[in-house]
Amino acid sequence: MSVRTLQRVVPSVLSSDGAGVKLRRSLGASQGLRHDPFLMLDEFGTDNPDDYIGGFPPHPHRGFETVTYMLDGHMQHKDHMGNTGDLGPGNVQWMTAGRGVIHSEMPRQTEGRMRGFQLWINLPAKEKMKPAAYRDIPAAEIPTAALANGGEAKVIAGTLAQGDAQTRGPIQGLSTEPLYFDLRLPPLGEFESPVPAGHNAFVYVYEGQAAIGDKPLPNRAAGLLSDGDRVQLRAGQDGARLLLLAGKPLNEPVVQYGPFVMNTREEIERAVRDYQNGELTGA
Ligand code: CO
């Protein structure tokens, strides 16, 4: 049994994407700043409509999965498959771009707070060209586990084990075996959970303060963890809200060009060509 320690901090940098949506990007802020299989993590959060009103007009993806988790506000998803999804508070959208998706995510509000996360998870080479898939997961289908030492965890992907109690999230059975937990810890609350050894894990504190061992986790930064089979966290005086993510590394070459993530340069060139020729999605 070994407890994971804080190994590296990837601060978030202010960035913008889509049609001028302001966000904070930690993983993915520069080429190579990844934590296999995690390619990118964006946090968006603002009360100012100017920061989000442009939304994300139609754009492509190929070769990986995008996961949007809303805390506040409303966005609407539309894609080339004809799916329309309402992204409201607590909802998750799990989209497997596979061979290709063209989609938009546009705000369904003109004022008020918009807050949430977008995570990119890589696909193994043998799944990069599989058919696109899209899944809307309403907040009511995401189980909340009461934690042994107070607080709660929303289990979005994988299974949270607390002693003999298991809480299974709606996303299971993917090749990268992702764990995606949203934790709310009370003041000085302690959290412990098994995480499979050999999988890459990181935490992202978005409210309050938390620490791993005697090392404080900077706010709004990806704290990459060492290997080990357990994660232990402790919240600060004001409690904390944070994401805990883990996944099985692919250990394959990554070649990225914007919204296309493949294994070789030739595959990227083909993605660009397919997109230009209207053949990205295979439709
Ligand atoms: Co997108």
PDB file of all heavy atoms in Angstrom, residues 211-227:
ATOM      1  N   ALA A 211      -4.884  19.980   0.768  1.00  0.00           N
ATOM      2  CA  ALA A 211      -3.477  19.591   0.798  1.00  0.00           C
ATOM      3  C   ALA A 211      -3.360  18.088   0.637  1.00  0.00           C
ATOM      4  O   ALA A 211      -4.285  17.325   0.940  1.00  0.00           O
ATOM      5  CB  ALA A 211      -2.834  20.036   2.111  1.00  0.00           C
ATOM      6  N   ILE A 212      -2.205  17.670   0.145  1.00  0.00           N
ATOM      7  CA  ILE A 212      -1.861  16.248   0.073  1.00  0.00           C
ATOM      8  C   ILE A 212      -0.660  16.066   0.979  1.00  0.00           C
ATOM      9  O   ILE A 212       0.389  16.678   0.734  1.00  0.00           O
ATOM     10  CB  ILE A 212      -1.522  15.845  -1.372  1.00  0.00           C
ATOM     11  CG1 ILE A 212      -2.800  15.895  -2.182  1.00  0.00           C
ATOM     12  CG2 ILE A 212      -0.840  14.492  -1.409  1.00  0.00           C
ATOM     13  CD1 ILE A 212      -2.913  14.886  -3.278  1.00  0.00           C
ATOM     14  N   GLY A 213      -0.799  15.293   2.046  1.00  0.00           N
ATOM     15  CA  GLY A 213       0.276  15.220   3.032  1.00  0.00           C
ATOM     16  C   GLY A 213       0.515  16.623   3.579  1.00  0.00           C
ATOM     17  O   GLY A 213      -0.429  17.331   3.915  1.00  0.00           O
ATOM     18  N   ASP A 214       1.776  17.064   3.600  1.00  0.00           N
ATOM     19  CA  ASP A 214       2.052  18.418   4.101  1.00  0.00           C
ATOM     20  C   ASP A 214       2.192  19.420   2.951  1.00  0.00           C
ATOM     21  O   ASP A 214       2.625  20.541   3.156  1.00  0.00           O
ATOM     22  CB  ASP A 214       3.306  18.418   4.988  1.00  0.00           C
ATOM     23  CG  ASP A 214       4.503  17.849   4.263  1.00  0.00           C
ATOM     24  OD1 ASP A 214       4.372  17.533   3.060  1.00  0.00           O
ATOM     25  OD2 ASP A 214       5.569  17.715   4.892  1.00  0.00           O
ATOM     26  N   LYS A 215       1.815  18.992   1.749  1.00  0.00           N
ATOM     27  CA  LYS A 215       1.950  19.904   0.598  1.00  0.00           C
ATOM     28  C   LYS A 215       0.613  20.517   0.208  1.00  0.00           C
ATOM     29  O   LYS A 215      -0.310  19.801  -0.204  1.00  0.00           O
ATOM     30  CB  LYS A 215       2.504  19.154  -0.613  1.00  0.00           C
ATOM     31  CG  LYS A 215       3.984  18.869  -0.542  1.00  0.00           C
ATOM     32  CD  LYS A 215       4.467  18.403  -1.903  1.00  0.00           C
ATOM     33  CE  LYS A 215       5.921  17.960  -1.819  1.00  0.00           C
ATOM     34  NZ  LYS A 215       6.299  17.175  -3.001  1.00  0.00           N
ATOM     35  N   PRO A 216       0.469  21.842   0.315  1.00  0.00           N
ATOM     36  CA  PRO A 216      -0.774  22.475  -0.127  1.00  0.00           C
ATOM     37  C   PRO A 216      -0.930  22.376  -1.640  1.00  0.00           C
ATOM     38  O   PRO A 216       0.055  22.427  -2.381  1.00  0.00           O
ATOM     39  CB  PRO A 216      -0.602  23.937   0.308  1.00  0.00           C
ATOM     40  CG  PRO A 216       0.844  24.129   0.568  1.00  0.00           C
ATOM     41  CD  PRO A 216       1.455  22.790   0.819  1.00  0.00           C
ATOM     42  N   LEU A 217      -2.185  22.209  -2.070  1.00  0.00           N
ATOM     43  CA  LEU A 217      -2.477  22.166  -3.508  1.00  0.00           C
ATOM     44  C   LEU A 217      -2.848  23.571  -3.947  1.00  0.00           C
ATOM     45  O   LEU A 217      -3.810  24.133  -3.425  1.00  0.00           O
ATOM     46  CB  LEU A 217      -3.672  21.247  -3.763  1.00  0.00           C
ATOM     47  CG  LEU A 217      -3.436  19.761  -3.557  1.00  0.00           C
ATOM     48  CD1 LEU A 217      -4.768  19.044  -3.380  1.00  0.00           C
ATOM     49  CD2 LEU A 217      -2.699  19.193  -4.760  1.00  0.00           C
ATOM     50  N   PRO A 218      -2.129  24.136  -4.881  1.00  0.00           N
ATOM     51  CA  PRO A 218      -2.522  25.467  -5.341  1.00  0.00           C
ATOM     52  C   PRO A 218      -3.933  25.431  -5.930  1.00  0.00           C
ATOM     53  O   PRO A 218      -4.343  24.432  -6.522  1.00  0.00           O
ATOM     54  CB  PRO A 218      -1.489  25.784  -6.418  1.00  0.00           C
ATOM     55  CG  PRO A 218      -0.364  24.847  -6.181  1.00  0.00           C
ATOM     56  CD  PRO A 218      -0.955  23.621  -5.559  1.00  0.00           C
ATOM     57  N   ASN A 219      -4.654  26.526  -5.734  1.00  0.00           N
ATOM     58  CA  ASN A 219      -5.996  26.655  -6.251  1.00  0.00           C
ATOM     59  C   ASN A 219      -5.949  26.786  -7.772  1.00  0.00           C
ATOM     60  O   ASN A 219      -5.051  27.402  -8.313  1.00  0.00           O
ATOM     61  CB  ASN A 219      -6.608  27.910  -5.633  1.00  0.00           C
ATOM     62  CG  ASN A 219      -8.066  27.758  -5.402  1.00  0.00           C
ATOM     63  OD1 ASN A 219      -8.850  28.008  -6.291  1.00  0.00           O
ATOM     64  ND2 ASN A 219      -8.440  27.320  -4.222  1.00  0.00           N
ATOM     65  N   ARG A 220      -6.942  26.200  -8.449  1.00  0.00           N
ATOM     66  CA  ARG A 220      -7.068  26.340  -9.906  1.00  0.00           C
ATOM     67  C   ARG A 220      -5.795  25.917 -10.635  1.00  0.00           C
ATOM     68  O   ARG A 220      -5.267  26.622 -11.498  1.00  0.00           O
ATOM     69  CB  ARG A 220      -7.420  27.771 -10.288  1.00  0.00           C
ATOM     70  CG  ARG A 220      -8.651  28.282  -9.597  1.00  0.00           C
ATOM     71  CD  ARG A 220      -9.310  29.388 -10.369  1.00  0.00           C
ATOM     72  NE  ARG A 220     -10.723  29.160 -10.483  1.00  0.00           N
ATOM     73  CZ  ARG A 220     -11.608  29.679  -9.647  1.00  0.00           C
ATOM     74  NH1 ARG A 220     -11.221  30.436  -8.653  1.00  0.00           N
ATOM     75  NH2 ARG A 220     -12.868  29.433  -9.813  1.00  0.00           N
ATOM     76  N   ALA A 221      -5.285  24.758 -10.233  1.00  0.00           N
ATOM     77  CA  ALA A 221      -4.108  24.186 -10.877  1.00  0.00           C
ATOM     78  C   ALA A 221      -4.287  22.679 -10.867  1.00  0.00           C
ATOM     79  O   ALA A 221      -4.969  22.136  -9.989  1.00  0.00           O
ATOM     80  CB  ALA A 221      -2.843  24.568 -10.125  1.00  0.00           C
ATOM     81  N   ALA A 222      -3.687  22.012 -11.846  1.00  0.00           N
ATOM     82  CA  ALA A 222      -3.718  20.550 -11.846  1.00  0.00           C
ATOM     83  C   ALA A 222      -2.551  20.066 -10.992  1.00  0.00           C
ATOM     84  O   ALA A 222      -1.394  20.363 -11.291  1.00  0.00           O
ATOM     85  CB  ALA A 222      -3.605  20.022 -13.270  1.00  0.00           C
ATOM     86  N   GLY A 223      -2.859  19.345  -9.926  1.00  0.00           N
ATOM     87  CA  GLY A 223      -1.822  18.769  -9.073  1.00  0.00           C
ATOM     88  C   GLY A 223      -1.611  17.324  -9.495  1.00  0.00           C
ATOM     89  O   GLY A 223      -2.449  16.463  -9.217  1.00  0.00           O
ATOM     90  N   LEU A 224      -0.504  17.072 -10.195  1.00  0.00           N
ATOM     91  CA  LEU A 224      -0.252  15.717 -10.700  1.00  0.00           C
ATOM     92  C   LEU A 224       0.330  14.875  -9.570  1.00  0.00           C
ATOM     93  O   LEU A 224       1.231  15.314  -8.850  1.00  0.00           O
ATOM     94  CB  LEU A 224       0.717  15.750 -11.882  1.00  0.00           C
ATOM     95  CG  LEU A 224       0.424  16.760 -12.999  1.00  0.00           C
ATOM     96  CD1 LEU A 224       1.335  16.497 -14.198  1.00  0.00           C
ATOM     97  CD2 LEU A 224      -1.034  16.747 -13.426  1.00  0.00           C
ATOM     98  N   LEU A 225      -0.178  13.650  -9.425  1.00  0.00           N
ATOM     99  CA  LEU A 225       0.199  12.810  -8.294  1.00  0.00           C
ATOM    100  C   LEU A 225       1.205  11.735  -8.717  1.00  0.00           C
ATOM    101  O   LEU A 225       1.206  11.274  -9.861  1.00  0.00           O
ATOM    102  CB  LEU A 225      -1.044  12.148  -7.693  1.00  0.00           C
ATOM    103  CG  LEU A 225      -2.178  13.108  -7.313  1.00  0.00           C
ATOM    104  CD1 LEU A 225      -3.319  12.343  -6.644  1.00  0.00           C
ATOM    105  CD2 LEU A 225      -1.670  14.220  -6.387  1.00  0.00           C
ATOM    106  N   SER A 226       1.997  11.326  -7.756  1.00  0.00           N
ATOM    107  CA  SER A 226       2.925  10.217  -7.979  1.00  0.00           C
ATOM    108  C   SER A 226       2.117   8.924  -8.116  1.00  0.00           C
ATOM    109  O   SER A 226       0.907   8.894  -7.872  1.00  0.00           O
ATOM    110  CB  SER A 226       3.865  10.103  -6.784  1.00  0.00           C
ATOM    111  OG  SER A 226       3.126   9.678  -5.649  1.00  0.00           O
ATOM    112  N   ASP A 227       2.795   7.845  -8.453  1.00  0.00           N
ATOM    113  CA  ASP A 227       2.115   6.551  -8.499  1.00  0.00           C
ATOM    114  C   ASP A 227       1.822   6.091  -7.066  1.00  0.00           C
ATOM    115  O   ASP A 227       2.379   6.616  -6.102  1.00  0.00           O
ATOM    116  CB  ASP A 227       2.989   5.528  -9.234  1.00  0.00           C
ATOM    117  CG  ASP A 227       2.171   4.327  -9.732  1.00  0.00           C
ATOM    118  OD1 ASP A 227       0.930   4.331  -9.565  1.00  0.00           O
ATOM    119  OD2 ASP A 227       2.777   3.395 -10.280  1.00  0.00           O
TER     120      ASP A 227
END
